[in-house]
Amino acid sequence: MAIDSMLQRQVMGRFATGVTLLTTRFDEGVLGMTANAVMSLSLEPPLVVVSVDKKNSMHECVMRGKCFALNMLRADQEEISRRFAISGPKDFSGLRLTAAETGAPILVDAIAYVDCKLVEILPGGDHDMFVGEPIAGEVREGEPLIFFGGEYR
Ligand SMILES: Cc1cc2nc3c(=O)[nH]c(=O)nc-3n(C[C@H](O)[C@H](O)[C@H](O)COP(=O)(O)O)c2cc1C
């Protein structure tokens, strides 16, 4: 029998991760969402994955825009993570933003970003895994924001 979801949260919460601001661009505009279910899937060909809850507005927006960017947050960007982890309209005010290839917002002050074309959608229960082909990216200096045991480190 499967373990309950609370125990799964606690166990997987012991797996320390970085934190990203997942962004997308679609017809009506742009959207951002905090995400840590992120993985480098393949190098040949280059592929990355982000897992998104089907209930989140980000899910429909990535499906529409067929692109996404992952911005790896810096240690002092906890406020950005909190701001984009709240359901509903997202506030990009005060952020230094640019765009790369797809038009998804790129955070100038993040420690790295990867800008992707959506190439596949893999089903996973109440989430879908969006597989992206990176078409632009950059690495910058700085320490990462860490998420562990449900807290920022
Ligand atoms: C540290 C952290 C990581 C998160 N990672 C994910 C994730 O990988 N996938 C996901 O669907 N939601 C994730 N969430 C939850 C979303 O950020 C949250 O549900 C958000 O409010 C969704 O907004 P939306 O419904 O407007 O798209 C995470 C939240 C936090 C605080």
Side-chain angles (χ1 to χ4, degrees):
M1 201 174 78
I3 63 170
D4 70 68
S5 58
M6 182 54 73
L7 179 57
Q8 180 181 342
R9 265 175 188 258
Q10 288 172 342
V11 171
M12 296 311 292
R14 296 277 161 190
F15 182 60
T17 67
V19 183
T20 73
L21 176 62
L22 166 68
T23 60
T24 190
R25 185 230 10 96
F26 55 106
D27 285 345
E28 294 81 359
V30 295
L31 191 72
M33 184 194 94
T34 302
N36 67 347
V38 163
M39 172 171 85
S40 176
L41 176 66
S42 161
L43 294 176
E44 279 300 327
L47 296 171
V48 298
V49 168
V50 58
S51 173
V52 177
D53 193 317
K54 291 185 208 168
K55 291 192 300 292
N56 288 346
S57 31
M58 179 54 82
H59 187 277
E60 169 153 16
C61 294
V62 173
M63 301 277 276
R64 277 205 248 157
K66 299 188 172 39
C67 66
F68 63 86
L70 293 165
N71 297 273
M72 286 59 174
L73 295 183
R74 217 171 51 193
D76 62 359
Q77 292 177 321
E78 179 179 329
E79 185 275 325
I80 298 177
S81 176
R82 291 186 184 278
R83 200 197 297 192
F84 286 89
I86 295 166
S87 201
K90 302 296 187 296
D91 173 17
F92 282 91
S93 64
L95 302 181
R96 296 213 299 148
L97 298 170
T98 181
E101 295 291 328
T102 68
I106 304 297
L107 264 182
V108 172
D109 302 320
I111 58 170
Y113 79 83
V114 64
D115 191 24
C116 301
K117 263 193 325 200
L118 178 67
V119 291
E120 204 175 343
I121 301 164
L122 305 174
D126 56 6
H127 285 53
D128 274 332
M129 284 175 283
F130 291 131
V131 181
E133 177 192 355
I135 53 175
E138 196 180 317
V139 176
R140 310 188 188 112
E141 291 304 308
E143 297 297 315
L145 181 63
I146 302 290
F147 198 66
F148 175 72
E151 290 173 8
Y152 294 97
R153 307 280 177 133

